[in-house]
Amino acid sequence: MKILAIETSCDDTCVAILQKEADKLNFLSSAVSSQIEVHREWGGVYPTLAKREHQKNLVPVLEKALKEANLLESGRSYKNVSKILQREDILAEHLTEFLKKYDAPNIDYLAVTVGPGLDPSLWAGINFAKALAFNWGKPVIPVNHIKAHFLAPLVLEEGTFPAVSLLASGGHTQLIVSENLKTHKVIGKTRDDAAGECFDKTARIIGLDYPGGPEIAKLAKKETDKEVSLPRPMIKSKDYDFSFSGLKTAVLYKWRDEESKTQDFKVAMAREIQEAITDVLVEKTFKAVEEYKAKTVVVGGGVSANLALREKIKKRGKDLKVILPDLDFSTDNAKMIAVTAAYENEKPLTVDWKELESKPNLKIN
Ligand code: KG4
Ligand code: ZN
């Protein structure tokens, strides 16, 4: 079977096509359009801007993915989409043009992220999926974005259970325990800022660009004799929750109180911010590994690109199966949505496209 998956929960517009024959998986294509440049001046993702970008990018990304998969056939699959896309003017225009040019592709299912995420962003992908389902006559599988971040790596890398997953991105920081591919429990999450958000906000304080994670990581590679020390919030707490806003405040005061803000001081701050965030993430993850007797650890979300975090996880997890997906698979992508759609249930669970709706606070179970 072939699944065409759509992901727009935050600021990446993604379409991927997966082929599954028995248990053999083959990605026919994956296209992503990132909006980092658009959001840079805001220092974070601005939801209405994100939606507008998705509306502009969805059709070109779809076209690219179909082309790469050799599934773009000239023809016409157009039915009037103006009612479905009544609040999506740019998208309606692009899609109408597309559907008048191309036939329905040879796929079996559509899959789309329905939550959690930014409501305006989610709706762009969902309305797009609705319009495609209506035109092409294909069933739709709704997918949970967070679940996709850990379930897809577990499937692809054949993780054994129980598994503990750490999900750390700009919008989420969660620890999840999975008993099998169907049973998952969130055991901890952030009470305030997400780990990526903390990288982004502290980077801004010390004068670095957005997104802050890679900028801090880059600066932290430099050597310095200067030392600063920052707190590791909740590192010893008995639960699995996180809190990063206190760290942000500590950075703000340290930066404000330093008279000579030399490059050396900035490097020392970057190194310590990275150490503090990754120490807390790793400590809590392995506390969960011990308690739940996990055999596999998965790390996902944009923050998992951090090399210091990767090294710490590998070191602490040397007796376990550690799954650290490639960057294009740990940041938002539609491949993970397609895999989850294929594996979450024995037979893909579809819904009537008319019933699809955005669920910005969707839970895992
Ligand atoms: O998963 P993602 O691409 O988007 C969502 O938030 O959904 O994650 C983006 C986050 C940003 O906060 C960014 O600063 C952080 O991941 N990030 C990093 C690194 N690369 C990206 N944080 C730390 N170190 C990195 N190398
Ligand atoms: Zn994500």
Side-chain angles (χ1 to χ4, degrees):
M1 69 173 173
K2 289 194 203 92
I3 299 178
L4 185 149
I6 300 158
E7 152 65 42
T8 62
S9 66
C10 188
D11 61 337
D12 291 310
T13 315
C14 323
V15 174
I17 303 169
L18 171 74
Q19 180 164 32
K20 179 173 180 267
E21 299 300 342
D23 259 346
K24 208 167 161 297
L25 294 180
N26 182 17
F27 292 110
L28 301 183
S29 64
S30 174
V32 180
S33 171
S34 155
Q35 305 177 4
I36 283 182
E37 293 310 320
V38 179
H39 298 287
R40 182 160 280 146
E41 74 174 285
W42 304 90
V45 179
Y46 195 77
T48 46
L49 251 183
K51 180 185 173 97
R52 201 145 183 94
E53 288 302 303
H54 286 310
Q55 292 174 331
K56 279 199 268 180
N57 297 333
L58 270 164
V59 172
V61 170
L62 170 75
E63 193 167 340
K64 188 164 176 230
L66 284 170
K67 201 166 173 187
E68 196 181 311
N70 261 329
L71 292 171
L72 198 58
E73 301 274 348
S74 301
R76 188 182 165 92
S77 54
Y78 177 72
K79 294 186 207 164
N80 192 340
V81 291
S82 56
K83 211 161 164 194
I84 302 172
L85 298 179
Q86 54 185 327
R87 293 207 200 95
E88 318 270 347
D89 47 343
I90 329 169
L91 185 55
E93 200 182 302
H94 286 187
L95 190 58
T96 299
E97 215 176 285
F98 177 89
L99 295 167
K100 284 182 176 170
K101 231 162 93 185
Y102 298 111
D103 218 346
N106 175 17
I107 58 158
D108 302 284
Y109 296 97
L110 286 159
V112 65
T113 302
V114 291
L118 302 170
D119 197 43
S121 291
L122 287 165
W123 271 116
I126 290 168
N127 281 329
F128 187 58
K130 284 184 180 206
L132 291 179
F134 167 64
N135 276 266
W136 293 347
K138 307 285 180 191
V140 190
I141 309 164
V143 175
N144 179 313
H145 176 88
I146 294 287
K147 208 183 264 187
H149 264 304
F150 63 84
L151 200 136
L154 278 168
V155 168
L156 291 175
E157 308 243 354
E158 297 173 357
T160 46
F161 297 97
V164 165
S165 303
L166 167 68
L167 240 155
S169 70
H172 308 279
T173 301
Q174 299 194 357
L175 272 171
I176 297 120
V177 176
S178 304
E179 291 304 329
N180 48 52
L181 285 181
K182 255 198 111 63
T183 319
H184 317 281
K185 189 168 124 196
V186 177
I187 56 165
K189 52 180 184 295
T190 182
R191 295 184 180 175
D192 39 61
D193 293 349
E197 194 177 358
C198 185
F199 270 110
D200 295 339
K201 288 181 172 169
T202 53
R204 197 180 165 97
I205 294 170
I206 66 169
L208 300 174
D209 257 354
Y210 173 82
E215 295 296 318
I216 286 188
K218 202 160 80 192
L219 200 56
K221 276 200 214 136
K222 301 207 157 97
E223 297 292 331
T224 175
D225 294 335
K226 207 159 171 77
E227 274 182 31
V228 289
S229 116
L230 291 166
R232 271 94 175 125
M234 294 182 73
I235 195 162
K236 295 274 176 235
S237 74
K238 291 208 162 51
D239 54 20
Y240 293 103
D241 281 350
F242 301 91
S243 165
F244 290 104
S245 70
L247 177 59
K248 175 187 63 192
T249 312
V251 169
L252 188 67
Y253 290 155
K254 271 242 153 37
W255 185 254
R256 188 193 63 186
D257 296 344
E258 176 72 18
E259 278 174 16
S260 57
K261 294 182 178 61
T262 57
Q263 177 68 5
D264 246 4
F265 179 65
K266 207 162 154 173
V267 171
M269 285 294 275
R271 290 173 71 106
E272 180 64 0
I273 290 167
Q274 176 171 276
E275 280 303 298
I277 297 174
T278 55
D279 276 353
V280 177
L281 293 175
V282 171
E283 195 57 39
K284 292 263 158 141
T285 303
F286 284 90
K287 179 175 145 77
V289 164
E290 238 166 72
E291 183 177 335
Y292 290 90
K293 303 195 174 12
K295 297 196 174 112
T296 303
V297 172
V298 182
V299 187
V303 177
S304 72
N306 189 277
L307 291 180
L309 177 66
R310 286 183 168 242
E311 286 312 313
K312 286 180 190 177
I313 296 268
K314 276 192 226 157
K315 202 163 156 202
R316 288 280 295 268
K318 61 183 184 327
D319 299 326
L320 306 167
K321 183 170 177 75
V322 173
I323 303 179
L324 287 161
D326 291 343
L327 197 54
D328 71 334
F329 210 78
S330 49
T331 54
D332 290 350
N333 66 88
K335 291 194 280 187
M336 68 180 190
I337 305 302
V339 174
T340 305
Y343 276 88
E344 188 178 0
N345 295 288
E346 307 230 321
K347 195 170 171 300
L349 263 193
T350 59
V351 296
D352 183 343
W353 64 262
K354 293 189 202 76
E355 284 165 24
L356 281 174
E357 55 178 41
S358 151
K359 295 176 179 162
N361 300 312
L362 185 62
K363 301 283 180 289
I364 279 172
N365 39 16

